Amino acid sequence: MTNDHLNPLTASRQQEVIRYLKTVIEPILKNNVVNLGMVRNLRIVDDYTYLRLYIGSHQQDLFKQIQSVLSNLSWCKKTYIQICTIPGVKITLAVSSGKGGVGKSTTAVNIAAALKLQGAKVGLLDADVYGPNIPQMLGLGQADIQVIHTPTGEKFLPLEIQGIKLMSVGLLAEPNRPLAWRGPVLHKIITQFLQDVEWGELDYLLIDLPPGTGDAQITIVQESPICGVILVTTPQQVAISDVRRNIHMFRQVGVPVLGIVENMSYLICSDCGSRIPIFGSGGGEQLAAELQAPLLGQIPIDPRICSGGDTGDPIAITNSTSGAGEVFVQIATALKATFT
């Protein structure tokens, strides 16, 4: 948040603002708004302070607290705060991976389904602009996106399937056509999906990010009030290395890592019942230890996960008491506990 190129007076004032902001604690996450990445784009211009505040719809009190705290700055004539929020959405979570092919989207769908089973109102934003497969994973083919008129302008109306509200860039694309969107168009689509969807009242909005750390990922992270990220990996060391690079992007904007999900952790032997670590072992545990973040779950290799994704029947819904289903329920339970 700090800038090494500022003149000494401005740099000193910026540090003072940050110290004041760190006294404002988010009551659920029990950390200050700076460390949680809720305060971004802090600027000091002459005797004025400018910042952007990224909060959920239930965190409006933080705005008043920040105004009150910064009113104590003796040199500051006025503080301008731009609030960035998604109306009606309490908690926004990102699901991310360092590389493709680790089951990130499948994990996002099943976590959303498990949260829904536990009584939460859940939305899922499929922002994987290079491989938007979530509509198929929820049993939805091509469907028209409805646009409605609201007091704040025209909004997309999400589709609802399996009790989950869904919006996906895949619903804008023609079947069997590549998604070859260039930078400016891609940026506009992403910002529209973040700002112009009428979600209604949601407890959780999960954003399925594209894998890696390109322009699309950075835009989403910078423009949305993400409360935390769930990192998906496999046990392999090469996957862990990619996730480490991914972490740097979130740390730049202060988005906390809520935990690690290790996918394809093991196969249950049909004869003896023992666990077979086909893709190695220990990667998720190693990464969790490095980040000092919880290992939320280790998902076994189960053909029903794959078939459920093909048929639109997530295993967390169709077989929540299976080994894999129970892991997704465990992950959802841990996430809910984080925010209660």
Side-chain angles (χ1 to χ4, degrees):
M1 184 179 294
T2 58
N3 191 327
D4 295 335
H5 302 293
L6 298 176
N7 66 60
L9 177 60
T10 303
S12 174
R13 287 180 169 181
Q14 187 178 73
Q15 290 293 339
E16 184 181 6
V17 171
I18 292 172
R19 286 197 301 272
Y20 275 71
L21 289 171
K22 283 187 174 181
T23 66
V24 179
I25 305 298
E26 204 289 327
I28 296 176
L29 295 174
K30 298 178 176 58
N31 205 338
N32 67 72
V33 293
V34 175
N35 289 348
L36 291 173
M38 293 179 173
V39 175
R40 307 178 199 169
N41 303 93
L42 172 62
R43 294 185 298 119
I44 311 296
V45 180
D46 297 326
D47 298 328
Y48 299 89
T49 300
Y50 301 83
L51 60 88
R52 297 177 76 181
L53 179 63
Y54 291 76
I55 56 176
S57 62
H58 67 303
Q59 298 170 311
Q60 298 295 328
D61 286 347
L62 293 175
F63 169 67
K64 296 179 181 178
Q65 290 181 49
I66 289 174
Q67 279 187 316
S68 175
V69 165
L70 296 186
S71 68
N72 296 316
L73 293 167
S74 59
W75 51 266
C76 185
K77 294 180 179 177
K78 188 170 183 178
T79 297
Y80 294 91
I81 302 176
Q82 178 185 2
I83 296 180
C84 302
T85 189
I86 300 177
V89 177
K90 292 182 179 179
I91 297 166
T92 303
L93 306 176
V95 182
S96 182
S97 66
K99 62 185 296 181
V102 300
K104 169 185 56 64
S105 296
T106 300
T107 299
V109 166
N110 280 284
I111 291 176
L115 286 168
K116 173 62 182 175
L117 283 178
Q118 296 183 11
K121 297 177 182 177
V122 183
L124 187 52
L125 175 57
D126 180 8
D128 190 345
V129 293
Y130 307 116
N133 298 316
I134 286 181
Q136 179 181 348
M137 292 179 180
L138 286 172
L140 185 67
Q142 284 299 119
D144 293 331
I145 298 178
Q146 185 179 353
V147 177
I148 60 173
H149 297 280
T150 73
T152 56
E154 293 187 337
K155 301 281 187 179
F156 295 119
L157 189 66
L159 303 172
E160 186 163 344
I161 186 133
Q162 304 277 19
I164 299 168
K165 290 186 177 180
L166 170 68
M167 183 57 66
S168 170
V169 293
L171 298 174
L172 296 177
E174 297 180 31
N176 304 317
R177 293 289 299 274
L179 300 181
W181 292 320
R182 294 188 180 274
V185 175
L186 188 59
H187 184 277
K188 182 178 180 180
I189 290 171
I190 289 171
T191 53
Q192 272 193 301
F193 269 44
L194 291 173
Q195 300 170 4
D196 297 332
V197 177
E198 186 66 22
W199 291 104
E201 297 297 320
L202 292 181
D203 296 310
Y204 301 93
L205 174 64
L206 274 67
I207 302 179
D208 181 40
L209 296 179
T213 55
D215 288 344
Q217 296 89 327
I218 293 171
T219 297
I220 297 167
V221 172
Q222 288 181 334
E223 297 296 329
S224 58
I226 295 174
C227 301
V229 60
I230 304 152
L231 296 173
V232 182
T233 185
T234 59
Q236 297 162 286
Q237 286 300 316
V238 65
I240 297 300
S241 298
D242 287 327
V243 172
R244 287 193 185 98
R245 288 189 286 270
N246 204 25
I247 291 166
H248 181 68
M249 174 181 68
F250 295 104
R251 284 181 170 169
Q252 280 186 315
V253 292
V255 173
V257 175
L258 299 177
I260 309 299
V261 174
E262 185 184 83
N263 196 23
M264 309 179 204
S265 295
Y266 54 86
L267 176 69
I268 300 291
C269 176
S270 58
D271 293 328
C272 65
S274 62
R275 295 185 176 188
I276 305 172
I278 292 178
F279 296 112
S281 62
E285 294 171 339
Q286 175 186 338
L287 190 61
E290 286 181 16
L291 297 175
Q292 297 183 326
L295 180 62
L296 295 173
Q298 294 174 296
I299 304 167
I301 299 170
D302 188 329
R304 291 172 294 184
I305 297 177
C306 180
S307 62
D310 289 338
T311 61
D313 298 307
I315 194 171
I317 292 177
T318 59
N319 203 336
S320 61
T321 59
S322 65
E326 288 180 345
V327 175
F328 287 118
V329 171
Q330 167 193 324
I331 293 169
T333 301
L335 291 173
K336 287 184 69 175
T338 301
F339 296 98
T340 56

